[in-house]
Amino acid sequence: MLKGKFFVITGPSTSGKTVISRELLKRLPSSTRLITVTTRLPRPNEKEGVDYFFVTKDEFQGRLDAGVFFESAEVYGQQYGSSKNIVEKLLEKFEFVFAVVDVQGAQTLKQKMPEAFVFFIKPGSFEDIVHRLHGERTDTPEDELLERLAKAKIEIEMGESFDVVINNVEGKFEETLREMLEIIKK
């Protein structure tokens, strides 16, 4: 029997999904995060088995062919995937399980697990995305930044299709967390 509730946190690039999830995990004692598998290289502060499971494209394809993933997506040329077996095992042990995924992955997760509650994190303004992308991704080519900005516009329009839209306004992080915690505890 499943003990926990499954929450998906999604939004456009740089919306604050990862930072929000880390803080929620700190504030909710019986919580954990679903760690997804990716083919992309780790960023400087990311750790194997903590942020992602980093695999080669061949390893990912092997898992995909074996039916390990119930959700997978290609995002900016890299593959990402989640295992339903792992989600179910986590839900047996924890009260709250969080998945941090891109918008495409969130749509698939919601289709495959309708009981999942999906938070769409919306940046305070489109300018926030521009500022964060240019600030965080100094090694990213300009054409990729433009692609991310174009995709963010489309994703923001899709936000209303999820369970709730949370505005993550610059300088109001505590309010964002408080709103999410109220919803989670209901």
Side-chain angles (χ1 to χ4, degrees), residues 133-179:
L133 273 174
H134 283 288
E136 286 181 9
R137 312 211 190 263
T138 54
D139 61 339
T140 304
E142 190 65 26
D143 59 333
E144 186 177 323
L145 289 174
L146 293 173
E147 180 185 353
R148 286 177 183 267
L149 289 171
K151 186 173 182 184
K153 280 184 181 179
I154 294 166
E155 290 174 337
I156 288 171
E157 292 171 7
M158 298 167 62
E160 297 297 327
S161 68
F162 295 107
D163 294 306
V164 68
V165 174
I166 301 291
N167 290 308
N168 187 20
V169 177
E170 199 74 37
K172 299 196 180 228
F173 188 69
E174 280 303 315
E175 289 91 333
T176 300
L177 287 173
R178 206 170 14 259
E179 182 180 356

Side-chain angles (χ1 to χ4, degrees), residues 4-5 7 15 17-18 29 38 52 60 62 75 80 82 86 98 100 104 109-110 118 123 125 132 141 150 163:
K5 295 187 189 293
F7 295 95
S15 61
K17 303 180 293 282
T18 303
T38 184
Y52 290 95
F60 190 94
V75 182
Y80 295 81
S82 304
I86 292 175
F98 296 98
V100 179
Q104 180 185 351
L109 282 171
K110 187 67 174 180
V118 182
S125 70
R132 290 175 189 167
D163 294 306

